Amino acid sequence: IDDAVDQYRRALNAMPDHPTAFKALARLLSDVDKPKELVQLYENALDRATGTRAVSYLLKIAQLYEDVLGEHALAAQTYKRVLQQDSGHLAAVHAWQRSAARAHRPRELLEALEYEIGLTVERDRLVGLLHRAGEVLDEQLGDRDEAIAHYRRALEKDPRHVPTLSSLGRLYYAAGRWNDSLPILVQAKVVETF
């Protein structure tokens, strides 16, 4: 197998755009469990790729980082590179969020959530994203003021969203803002019962 890998590499060095040699080498590297070399093969191919082919290679690189190598931070960075090629690629946005969360990188997770917020027009999805961003700000980044701002933005879109009402009421309560927390918590309880 090592001889075949060497032969295909030589073929690609002579003719970098040779599709058969590229596919065969990618298959071989995958079969012999050499994910780092496979990542490098796709990275090298990116120099000559554009459009959907570039997106496809980047997605393969990101999936290798995420699923095979367990390099979640590198996967997140690569999913971000996908978005430089295709800014509306929602699967890449979701994968970026997942990888950032797995890498324990709350700032990057927040950035990915904010990116999706910027793409989202559907009200219920937008409310959920604003709520999730508020949770990250509060629970992982300790930024209560920004969390409150995100929760308030969510409630502007849907004043009856119980998870957001509860989270906002809890934050107000924790901050000693009793006059703000009580009506919010009562509203959450009333909405929850109907």
Side-chain angles (χ1 to χ4, degrees):
I1 291 182
D2 287 340
D3 288 339
V5 168
D6 289 339
Q7 290 293 331
Y8 285 122
R9 279 197 178 123
R10 279 196 287 277
L12 282 175
N13 285 337
M15 296 178 59
D17 292 325
H18 194 279
T20 304
F22 180 83
K23 289 177 185 175
L25 182 55
R27 188 183 68 247
L28 275 175
L29 291 173
S30 179
D31 289 347
V32 297
D33 196 29
K34 293 190 175 188
K36 289 182 180 179
E37 292 180 33
L38 188 52
V39 165
Q40 192 57 55
L41 176 70
Y42 288 126
E43 286 286 358
N44 292 343
L46 278 171
D47 294 340
R48 296 172 305 283
T50 58
T52 57
R53 184 172 301 245
V55 168
S56 174
Y57 291 160
L58 286 166
L59 288 170
K60 289 176 183 184
I61 292 166
Q63 289 165 349
L64 285 165
Y65 280 137
E66 185 176 11
D67 299 332
V68 179
L69 295 167
E71 297 282 349
H72 301 295
L74 290 173
Q77 291 172 2
T78 307
Y79 286 122
K80 231 173 133 172
R81 289 171 60 198
V82 169
L83 296 170
Q84 292 169 351
Q85 298 286 323
D86 181 355
S87 61
H89 199 292
L90 205 51
V93 175
H94 294 158
W96 177 22
Q97 292 167 6
R98 181 183 62 244
S99 294
R102 287 180 177 171
H104 306 288
R105 298 176 71 145
R107 290 206 184 283
E108 189 165 3
L109 172 56
L110 180 63
E111 180 185 357
L113 289 166
E114 294 288 358
Y115 188 94
E116 187 175 356
I117 287 168
L119 295 176
T120 304
V121 293
E122 194 266 315
R123 185 195 75 152
D124 290 343
R125 180 72 185 144
L126 184 58
V127 169
L129 288 166
L130 287 164
H131 181 259
R132 177 72 178 114
E135 288 178 326
V136 170
L137 283 158
D138 176 36
E139 297 167 10
Q140 297 179 35
L141 296 172
D143 190 341
R144 284 186 174 165
D145 292 337
E146 275 301 308
I148 288 170
H150 278 73
Y151 291 147
R152 293 189 66 72
R153 280 178 58 202
L155 291 175
E156 287 171 9
K157 304 289 182 194
D158 181 1
R160 299 175 53 87
H161 190 252
V162 173
T164 302
L165 287 166
S166 297
S167 295
L168 183 59
R170 181 185 48 75
L171 274 183
Y172 281 154
Y173 184 84
R177 293 173 59 177
W178 320 117
N179 291 336
D180 293 325
S181 71
L182 187 58
I184 295 287
L185 292 172
V186 167
Q187 184 180 355
K189 194 62 176 168
V190 168
V191 170
E192 196 174 69
T193 56
F194 288 101

